[in-house]
Amino acid sequence: MAEFDVDLFVIGGGSGGVRAARIAAGHGARVMIAEEYRMGGTCVIRGCVPKKLLVIGSHFHQEIEDAAGFGWSISSVKFDWPTLIANKDKEIARLESAYTTNVEKAGARVVKTRAAFEDAHTLRLATGEAVTAKYVLIATGGAPNHGRAIPGIEHVISSNEAFHLPELPRRIVIQGGGYIALEFAGIFAGLGSDVTVVYRGDNILRGFDDDVRSHLRAEMEKAGITILTGCTVDRVEKHRKEFTAHLSNGSSIAAEQVMFAIGRHPNVAGLGLDKAGVAINPANGGVAVDGFSQTSVPNIYAIGDVTHRINLTPVAIREGHAFADTVFGKRTIAVDHADIPTAVFSQPEVGTVGLTEAEARARFAHVDIYKADFRPIKATMSGRDTRVLMKLVVDGTSDRVVGCHIVGDGAAEMAQLVAIAVKMKATKADFDATMALHPTAAEELVTMRTPTARYVREAAE
């Protein structure tokens, strides 16, 4: 008789947990995966995928306006929010079904219920069933964090609720300056809402390259989005079907919805981590792990947003795959978290990989910056007031390209490909030796020849 009911129990049916379950089962492990909400997790159900669908939907308004410059006359335009949401929900349901089917085809058992630790090897399901496991993987992801309690916080929605609003708000206040806040600002503005972004910092997109931050802000403001920095929402009042957001600077804004997107916190509550002896990282509140995603308890691992390392879906997937290969596939694999490409699906979108200019200047004695700021070819006919930013950050000593930052249509697609070159440690000379593909925006990446800035740190005496 087997010592344990399963070889692996996965808590959480998001992208990372599903990948780990499938790969482990493929290595011959007996796997059970528990998900209390919907298979697919945040990214598939109420994150990246539905958000991207709404971004695409909101962009059609701009496309219709731009069409006039190319000879198209579109006399009547009508948008229906319920249709967009219904079709989005239909696609998400299809993906959820596919996730469940693929896990089961791999040989893992899916249980759609909550699971919590009773000890390091025992999980108690919400159904009352107890399951013992040789190994346990925590992949419960994260959840929206509204921050400190303020009067009227009960009236505030998060991105979770934004995906299911019964109607499009005419006016919305969004607090936050990161990915989610700016992406939803673009969505609502593109669909016709009056949008105000409120952010406590001096500029949006903290942690991104300063040129990216400034360029995106300017583009969003040109699109009619109001961005207020250096202040916060301190109180929300409800007046029948409307709200008033009172700001820390003394002003107030009337809106039909108030949304907070100020960060996310790891889903660690109620898992019984204390019963299993699993330690929390005091620096970020996530499950503490080593380079192989192993927790303080040898048979328990954690991946993805619940560790609060790098909260990106592809990172969780890579960590889940590496865990399964290491523990069940007899291949010791540690995930390299350097040079991870990322995108903000704002409008215009941002694509970036590698070091910012500030990070490079702090790390290297000699840094060269190559930057292009230009009007895209489409705008020359459409008449739209928009510009593209492209920037390369180069270690001047080795000539290696250590960072690439793009703002404009297709930025995410370009950043994914440039990430290969950055990961391979390509030099600026390699970029220069690459033939341009004309006419494209991407050709600027291989035609920038003269540094726009050069920084050389004087050697210490």
Side-chain angles (χ1 to χ4, degrees), residues 186-367:
I187 289 168
F188 285 119
L191 296 175
S193 301
D194 184 328
V195 180
T196 299
V197 173
V198 177
Y199 180 54
R200 64 177 181 173
D202 62 348
N203 203 0
I204 57 175
L205 281 188
R206 180 172 61 89
F208 281 72
D209 188 88
D210 286 338
D211 282 327
V212 169
R213 302 171 73 190
S214 299
H215 190 95
L216 179 61
R217 179 172 183 169
E219 289 290 316
M220 292 180 68
E221 290 176 334
K222 282 192 290 187
I225 297 172
T226 300
I227 299 178
L228 305 176
T229 51
C231 59
T232 58
V233 176
D234 280 358
R235 178 164 53 96
V236 179
E237 284 185 332
K238 181 175 173 61
H239 313 280
R240 294 187 178 181
K241 294 184 178 181
E242 193 173 86
F243 303 95
T244 300
H246 295 273
L247 308 187
S248 59
N249 62 9
S251 64
S252 61
I253 308 169
E256 292 179 350
Q257 293 290 345
V258 179
M259 174 180 168
F260 279 14
I262 60 176
R264 295 175 66 82
H265 59 79
N267 269 329
V268 296
L271 293 178
L273 298 181
D274 54 337
K275 294 180 180 179
V278 175
I280 296 295
N281 185 339
N284 62 25
V287 176
V289 291
D290 65 11
F292 292 94
S293 296
Q294 189 175 42
T295 72
S296 56
V297 182
N299 72 294
I300 301 176
Y301 291 71
I303 59 167
D305 292 8
V306 75
T307 68
H308 219 36
R309 287 181 286 187
I310 298 177
N311 297 347
L312 296 170
T313 298
V315 175
I317 292 172
R318 181 66 62 88
E319 289 171 351
H321 200 134
F323 153 78
D325 280 345
T326 298
V327 176
F328 299 102
K330 299 178 181 179
R331 297 172 55 205
T332 303
I333 299 175
V335 175
D336 181 4
H337 291 94
D339 296 326
I340 295 172
T342 188
V344 183
F345 291 102
S346 49
Q347 299 183 45
E349 69 186 37
V350 174
T352 181
V353 62
L355 303 179
T356 66
E357 177 181 325
E359 290 169 339
R361 290 175 62 182
R363 184 176 303 186
F364 303 113
H366 177 187
V367 175

Side-chain angles (χ1 to χ4, degrees), residues 21 42 50 73 155 173 189 201 208 226 279 330 337 340 422 435:
T42 296
S73 178
H155 305 310
V173 173
F208 281 72
T226 300
K330 299 178 181 179
H337 291 94
I340 295 172
V422 173
M435 195 71 73

Side-chain angles (χ1 to χ4, degrees), residues 13 24 32 55 107 188 211 302 345 385 452:
M32 181 180 289
V55 168
F188 285 119
D211 282 327
F345 291 102
D385 181 14
T452 54

